[in-house]
Amino acid sequence: MTKAPAVRKPVKPAPLTGRVLSVASECAPLVKTGGLADVVGALPSALSPLGWQLRTLIPAYRGLLEKLEAGAELWSDNDLFGGPARVLGGKAAGLDLLLLDAPHLFDRAGSPYLDESGTDWPDNPRRFAALGWAAAEISKRGLSDGWQPDLLHAHDWQAGLAPLWAQDALPSVMTIHNIAFQGVASARAVDELRLPPAGFTPEGYEYWGKVSTLKAGLVYADAISTVSPSYAVELTTPEFGFGLEGVIRARGDAMTGILNGVDLAVWSPATDPLIPSRYSADDMSGKQACTAALREEFGLDDNGGPVFIVVSRLTRQKGLDLLLECLPGLVARGGQLAVLGTGEPDLQEGYLRAAARWPGRIGVHIGYDEAMSHRMFAGADVVLVPSRFEPSGLTQMYGLAYGALPLVARTGGLADSVIDANVAALRDQVATGVQFAPVTADALKLALQKVSDLYGQQDIWQRMVARAMAHPVGWDASAREYAALYDRLTGR
Ligand code: ADP
Ligand code: GLC
């Protein structure tokens, strides 16, 4: 029997560009408290050459609406958890931005999460549930300009409810930037946030009798990811999983780790407008000028020793209590330290006391200052990142790009981005920094000693600096991994 000629169905051409609704509580350069903002702000331009258009939905915190160029109302709701809300779309800082304008939730003085006295806003669960709700509504019905996402990408607990509410509408990815923050609210939230009661179980979004919005994202998203391969493994252990290790293990290979990149348009010493003198690996004279300027800015003597920096939240997560214990040795060996950060009051006090004890050797600036942070990476010899856990970390990558060799704890993204100067790596000439483990003051002291020894051998040191600066820290490789994940989830 001959086969009847196959009836050819017209092949529907895949649209050239896939559309992603990216949802987060921060987006650089508009609103930033940490690396989450850098990543959310960098993903759109990293992914657009790979065929993915991202529109980024964030809350319209006070002052943000004015930054939107030609904003148009694209969505509205008369009663979004207690007040009217709308989404305005437009360009801001080169980004395709969607701002959730809900004055009763977001038009306040203070930071995204804290009031002016530094206390969490008591209605944070409701504020960010509203963000998730708006994201899910857009996922289901699209925006009034006809834009309909093919995929939802939710970042951290603030966006964690979006994959739950949008689960029937489109595929979603939930990315963990820091599992220490889980969006835990009392069981009353089930009613207050209009959560589906059937999901209030250990298999759903319930967490020890409460609600966890991060857990909701981890359970209901089609794929979950975190910001380095090593952290993806660590998250399956009780030490790092903060109680969610079982949930993550249960998702099996739905979890991937994709290392963060650096936005080289912002973080390149050859083009950075915020540093006193630009430089590149071919001509490092500008770096010397930056070091001199940094010493002057932090009141450090010109003693010829290595200049260490810390640019960080001053918290125990970042291991900065351990560093305090190591300062006598660092100073005794001729090192100098410049610190920029804010955080736990006792750590701020500790660093201020150290600056008073060792004038000319340690300078401390308590505060948040983006431009100063650039000047510090440009002037530094070493950036210190002794974190107890670090999902990815960005400052060690800025250190690589600016030739400030990273001294890092061997954990998470720090382990994945810095090649330790062990004997083999030095012989093979591939080392770009120093790693230490376990994360204790004693191990950090030994690592500081090792850095001093290496700095004393300037030929080896300068070769490491050149390699660090040549190491690819941009988004290319990681953006391809996100694109592959998006392709897989949408069947493109
Ligand atoms: P995390 O997000 O856990 O704080 P990351 O290393 O991923 O850690 O990102 C921190 C980001 O915040 C980096 O861009 C860093 O330069 C910046 N940063 C942290 N503290 C300060 C500060 N006090 N002033 C300026 N920038 C800071
Ligand atoms: C979190 C993590 C940090 C990571 C950042 C961006 O704040 O603490 O390691 O780089 O998110 O993903």
Side-chain angles (χ1 to χ4, degrees), residues 35-36 39 177-178 227 260 313 317-318 390-394:
L36 169 66
V39 173
H177 294 264
N178 191 337
V227 286
N260 284 338
R313 297 186 280 120
Q317 177 201 333
K318 300 290 180 179
E390 194 62 76
S392 165
L394 293 170

Side-chain angles (χ1 to χ4, degrees), residues 243-314:
L244 289 176
E245 59 274 10
V247 177
I248 291 168
R249 273 202 305 271
R251 294 295 322 254
D253 57 13
M255 166 64 116
T256 42
I258 303 177
L259 187 65
N260 284 338
V262 164
D263 187 346
L264 296 174
V266 181
W267 295 99
S268 292
T271 52
D272 190 337
L274 299 173
I275 63 178
S277 182
R278 274 153 288 287
Y279 60 91
S280 64
D282 298 333
D283 179 3
M284 294 291 278
S285 53
K287 178 145 183 111
Q288 288 156 18
C290 292
T291 305
L294 177 61
R295 282 204 163 99
E296 185 158 337
E297 185 164 10
F298 279 80
L300 306 177
D301 309 330
D302 189 3
N303 74 342
V307 179
F308 295 83
I309 58 164
V310 168
V311 176
S312 183
R313 297 186 280 120
L314 301 181

Side-chain angles (χ1 to χ4, degrees), residues 117-469:
S117 74
T119 312
D120 276 332
W121 296 109
D123 59 347
N124 273 347
R126 195 160 51 108
R127 296 171 76 227
F128 294 105
L131 179 68
W133 186 273
E137 288 300 302
I138 295 168
S139 300
K140 291 176 200 165
R141 283 175 258 287
L143 292 166
S144 64
D145 63 359
W147 192 84
Q148 174 81 47
D150 303 306
L151 182 120
L152 170 69
H153 192 161
H155 299 271
D156 269 356
W157 70 268
Q158 298 91 342
L161 292 174
L164 182 162
W165 281 319
Q167 59 183 303
D168 297 327
L170 79 188
S172 60
V173 184
M174 177 78 224
T175 296
I176 304 169
H177 294 264
N178 191 337
I179 205 153
F181 305 103
Q182 303 184 348
V184 174
S186 83
R188 284 196 311 276
V190 179
D191 286 341
E192 287 170 8
L193 306 181
R194 308 177 210 151
L195 294 169
F200 191 66
T201 66
E203 293 70 40
Y205 58 79
E206 186 255 8
Y207 186 68
W208 299 106
K210 297 185 172 182
V211 166
S212 162
T213 62
L214 179 62
K215 187 180 172 201
L218 296 178
V219 169
Y220 295 103
D222 295 281
I224 59 181
S225 80
T226 190
V227 286
S228 68
S230 287
Y231 193 61
V233 175
E234 289 170 346
L235 279 175
T236 62
T237 68
E239 189 187 347
F240 292 95
F242 282 75
L244 289 176
E245 59 274 10
V247 177
I248 291 168
R249 273 202 305 271
R251 294 295 322 254
D253 57 13
M255 166 64 116
T256 42
I258 303 177
L259 187 65
N260 284 338
V262 164
D263 187 346
L264 296 174
V266 181
W267 295 99
S268 292
T271 52
D272 190 337
L274 299 173
I275 63 178
S277 182
R278 274 153 288 287
Y279 60 91
S280 64
D282 298 333
D283 179 3
M284 294 291 278
S285 53
K287 178 145 183 111
Q288 288 156 18
C290 292
T291 305
L294 177 61
R295 282 204 163 99
E296 185 158 337
E297 185 164 10
F298 279 80
L300 306 177
D301 309 330
D302 189 3
N303 74 342
V307 179
F308 295 83
I309 58 164
V310 168
V311 176
S312 183
R313 297 186 280 120
L314 301 181
T315 65
R316 278 170 173 69
Q317 177 201 333
K318 300 290 180 179
L320 293 171
D321 51 325
L322 305 175
L323 179 61
L324 276 177
E325 293 181 46
C326 302
L327 294 183
L330 183 152
V331 170
R333 277 190 298 273
Q336 298 180 316
L337 174 66
V339 177
L340 168 63
T342 54
E344 295 167 12
D346 61 325
L347 291 177
Q348 296 188 170
E349 277 306 307
Y351 282 98
L352 288 171
R353 269 200 307 276
R357 177 166 168 202
W358 290 291
R361 310 301 296 280
I362 296 185
V364 173
H365 186 92
I366 300 299
Y368 189 95
D369 189 329
E370 195 77 26
M372 185 184 286
S373 74
H374 283 246
R375 297 194 292 276
M376 292 174 74
F377 288 105
D381 296 300
V382 182
V383 55
L384 293 164
V385 197
S387 309
R388 289 194 166 81
F389 67 93
E390 194 62 76
S392 165
L394 293 170
T395 58
Q396 81 281 10
M397 302 197 209
Y398 305 155
L400 292 169
Y402 284 72
L405 297 187
L407 192 179
V408 302
R410 186 176 302 133
T411 186
L414 301 173
D416 288 341
S417 55
V418 175
I419 302 176
D420 177 43
N422 62 28
V423 175
L426 285 171
R427 283 190 190 151
D428 273 0
Q429 307 220 8
V430 294
T432 57
V434 169
Q435 298 185 355
F436 70 97
V439 190
T440 61
D442 284 342
L444 177 54
K445 279 178 196 160
L446 290 174
L448 285 163
Q449 173 74 54
K450 180 167 165 182
V451 165
S452 291
D453 293 347
L454 287 166
Y455 188 78
Q457 305 168 66
Q458 273 295 309
D459 50 333
I460 295 180
W461 185 268
Q462 291 307 335
R463 281 205 297 275
M464 279 177 70
V465 168
R467 274 197 303 272
M469 293 175 73

Side-chain angles (χ1 to χ4, degrees), residues 22-45 54-59 61 64 67 92-99 112-113 131 155 158 263 368 370:
S22 175
V23 188
S25 57
E26 306 184 13
C27 180
L30 297 157
V31 50
K32 165 169 167 177
T33 74
L36 169 66
D38 290 311
V39 173
V40 171
L43 282 177
S45 57
L54 274 67
R55 284 180 109 172
T56 309
L57 175 69
I58 60 170
Y61 305 111
L64 277 195
K67 305 214 168 138
L95 291 156
D96 217 341
L97 210 64
L98 300 170
L99 287 180
Y113 320 116
L131 179 68
H155 299 271
Q158 298 91 342
D263 187 346
Y368 189 95
E370 195 77 26

